[in-house]
Amino acid sequence: MKTKNLIDVKNLSVSFGNNIILNKINLHLSKKESLVIIGKSGSGKSVLLKCLMGILKPNLGSIKIDGVDIVNTNRTDKENALKNIGVTFQNGALFDSLTVWENITFKETRFFGFDKKAAKEKALSIIQNLELDKNILELYPSELSGGMQKRVAIARAICDQPQVLFFDEPTSGLDPITGKNN
Amino acid sequence: MIKIFNLIGKLSLSTFENLGKITLFFFMSFFWLFKKPFYFKQFLSQFLDIAFYSLPVVGLTTFFSGMVLALQTFSGFDNFNDEGTISKIVLTSILRELGPVLAGLMVCGRVGAKMAAEIATMRVSNQIDALETLSTRPMQFLISTRLLASIIAVPFLVLVGNIIGVFGGFIVATFKLDLNPILYMISTIDNFNSIDLIQGLIKALVFGIIISIISCYFGFNASGGAEGVGRATTISVVTASTLILTSTYFITALFI
């Protein structure tokens, strides 16, 4: 019996002007499956991720996440499909104006009705798993080192236990031991 | 010769393209104001930033403008330097023109630059993309809240600035020019025309829209790292200031 894929990408093509970045990419991923994409700088890894996250619209092809074609559907369906994903960006992309715990529980406080205390507890349990000190919860991203920012970004991505996780250069800025543990 | 026409054509096309995009950007942010959820905390922090923290600079500017206006009127109109003339000129100028324009330009420099730089930084550091992946519409979360805050805060600032400006004129008229304070106050109240105030507040409303939309538009479409942030900030302040000074003429013309 054929298992249902969680992510289905068919003939995905992206170009900027005459510059072809992705040419007819196909990939299929089922639940609990991991895929690592390695390529030289500028080969389109981040562009592929941005397409999968629904941030960049491809020129051709389809992307199905849990059966929903996020390229050719309406905004509401696309947003619902993307609720199941967690993302870590190359540079962390933490919100400068929010503290660490507010960053980590951004979705929880806005959509799942978490109050301040519950959100802080949730953030604390996650950062402890990532070997971060509890004292950083009230700090702002600018007060953290690059490696700590990266781990907070990972904490934000996994906070609501999404079905799909995308990591763009997840171990850059982390020392080899921390990178391996995370 | 062809090169010159080519350049003019390109410039015109890009101007109209930007104009169209800014108009669309305004309607989109206005549209998202009426959609749930409403980010009240975000709106409140923006409102405080514009209304409360801009108050000193707007107050100081309008205060000295009122003072200088009273002084110039006194020395410039030798035959009409009585309480009635000076208070009328100070009041009308502040309410109709100086209050809104000075407040608009001050807010543009202080808040507009901040908005553009903040949103541009969020754009170049992927924070806006991160918002999208966290099921939050950047247009609704970042832009609509700033638009609403500006629409309410700038008229409020103008209202307070007007009072301070008129008070500045009163201080100079009574303490430096030795005019009768009671007569000056009565004359100010007599000369008050609600249409002047409304005209100024309409200008303030338009300036609020101009400042927030222009700053957010250039910030939202920034690219190219730190240099892009700087470029977006500069162009947004220059464009918004120019539009403030241009639009004030057209609004004034509507009232005459």
Side-chain angles (χ1 to χ4, degrees):
Chain A
M1 196 182 92
K2 197 184 170 189
T3 51
K4 190 189 164 194
N5 289 324
L6 195 59
I7 298 175
D8 259 318
V9 176
K10 278 182 191 163
N11 295 323
L12 187 75
S13 302
V14 177
S15 57
F16 299 124
N18 293 328
N19 194 8
I20 299 167
I21 311 294
L22 302 175
N23 192 16
K24 292 180 182 173
I25 302 285
N26 290 292
L27 63 93
H28 312 284
L29 285 162
S30 52
K31 279 186 183 174
K32 296 184 180 176
E33 199 175 347
S34 300
L35 175 72
V36 178
I37 299 169
I38 299 169
K40 63 180 181 182
S41 177
S43 59
K45 304 182 294 292
S46 295
V47 170
L48 174 62
L49 264 184
K50 282 191 173 181
C51 289
L52 292 175
M53 290 181 254
I55 293 168
L56 196 68
K57 195 167 180 172
N59 301 85
L60 281 173
S62 71
I63 302 165
K64 284 186 181 173
I65 293 184
D66 210 10
V68 179
D69 186 350
I70 62 163
V71 180
N72 304 306
T73 190
N74 61 50
R75 191 167 176 123
T76 314
D77 286 346
K78 179 183 155 186
E79 282 173 354
N80 285 334
L82 294 174
K83 271 183 182 161
N84 287 326
I85 68 162
V87 181
T88 300
F89 287 87
Q90 210 165 352
N91 56 354
L94 295 173
F95 304 123
D96 299 324
S97 56
L98 302 180
T99 59
V100 166
W101 74 266
E102 286 171 326
N103 261 290
I104 295 172
T105 57
F106 187 89
K107 250 185 186 176
E108 280 64 22
T109 47
R110 276 161 184 80
F111 304 111
F112 306 134
F114 275 48
D115 61 16
K116 193 175 172 180
K117 194 181 167 209
K120 270 189 181 179
E121 276 170 12
K122 173 104 182 173
L124 180 64
S125 70
I126 295 170
I127 64 161
Q128 281 177 336
N129 284 336
L130 292 170
E131 295 171 12
L132 284 164
D133 193 273
K134 66 175 181 183
N135 295 325
I136 69 157
L137 279 181
E138 296 290 347
L139 299 181
Y140 286 90
S142 59
E143 297 171 292
L144 304 176
S145 70
M148 285 162 108
Q149 284 185 21
K150 198 84 190 193
R151 278 183 282 167
V152 172
I154 293 171
R156 183 175 68 183
I158 60 173
C159 186
D160 65 333
Q161 297 173 309
Q163 278 189 295
V164 184
L165 276 169
F166 293 127
F167 294 107
D168 194 0
E169 309 263 9
T171 54
S172 69
L174 297 178
D175 61 89
I177 297 165
T178 312
K180 197 180 167 190
N181 290 344
N182 284 331
Chain B
M1 195 66 180
I2 292 170
K3 273 185 179 174
I4 296 169
F5 280 121
N6 205 351
L7 193 75
I8 295 169
K10 267 186 185 172
L11 211 68
S12 312
L13 277 177
S14 111
T15 308
F16 282 112
E17 190 188 342
N18 262 330
L19 203 67
K21 283 181 178 170
I22 290 169
T23 311
L24 207 64
F25 190 80
F26 165 65
F27 283 120
M28 285 291 284
S29 48
F30 198 69
F31 167 80
W32 284 113
L33 268 181
F34 302 99
K35 293 277 177 184
K36 282 185 179 176
F38 178 66
Y39 298 101
F40 183 73
K41 205 176 153 188
Q42 186 76 4
F43 158 76
L44 194 69
S45 88
Q46 290 302 324
F47 177 77
L48 281 179
D49 192 32
I50 304 170
F52 184 72
Y53 292 107
S54 300
L55 211 50
V57 70
V58 169
L60 202 70
T61 318
T62 47
F63 183 68
F64 278 99
S65 300
M67 285 168 80
V68 84
L69 205 57
L71 210 56
Q72 289 282 23
T73 311
F74 185 81
S75 64
F77 297 88
D78 285 337
N79 300 323
F80 305 100
N81 48 16
D82 56 80
E83 287 84 356
T85 312
I86 292 176
S87 69
K88 186 174 170 61
I89 288 174
V90 170
L91 184 73
T92 313
S93 310
I94 294 275
L95 291 190
R96 284 188 188 178
E97 206 58 53
L98 286 178
V101 170
L102 289 173
L105 290 174
M106 285 297 124
V107 173
C108 180
R110 205 193 80 81
V111 179
K114 190 186 170 208
M115 275 186 197
E118 211 175 326
I119 292 174
T121 306
M122 289 186 81
R123 169 60 79 199
V124 300
S125 62
N126 290 327
Q127 289 178 52
I128 291 180
D129 290 343
L131 267 180
E132 290 225 38
T133 64
L134 291 164
S135 312
T136 305
R137 296 182 182 106
M139 201 72 186
Q140 195 176 12
F141 186 75
L142 296 172
I143 317 298
S144 297
T145 48
R146 281 169 169 80
L147 173 67
L148 185 65
S150 297
I151 285 175
I152 300 172
V154 179
F156 164 77
L157 279 170
V158 167
L159 203 63
V160 178
N162 284 344
I163 297 166
I164 297 173
V166 172
F167 180 68
F170 170 79
I171 295 285
V172 168
T174 53
F175 289 100
K176 186 164 171 65
L177 308 177
D178 287 330
L179 298 179
N180 186 312
I182 307 290
L183 278 179
Y184 190 92
M185 263 198 285
I186 292 169
S187 171
T188 301
I189 293 165
D190 284 347
N191 286 319
F192 176 77
N193 185 350
S194 55
I195 297 293
D196 292 342
L197 181 69
I198 291 168
Q199 188 185 139
L201 291 179
I202 288 173
K203 283 180 182 176
L205 183 87
V206 174
F207 297 164
I209 294 172
I210 288 173
I211 293 164
S212 56
I213 291 298
I214 297 293
S215 307
C216 292
Y217 172 78
F218 286 110
F220 205 76
N221 293 296
S223 61
E227 201 189 330
V229 175
R231 209 171 30 237
T233 311
T234 310
I235 196 166
S236 69
V237 173
V238 171
T239 311
S241 308
T242 313
L243 281 176
I244 284 173
L245 294 170
T246 318
S247 62
T248 189
Y249 169 77
F250 291 104
I251 300 168
T252 307
L254 279 178
F255 277 85
I256 291 170

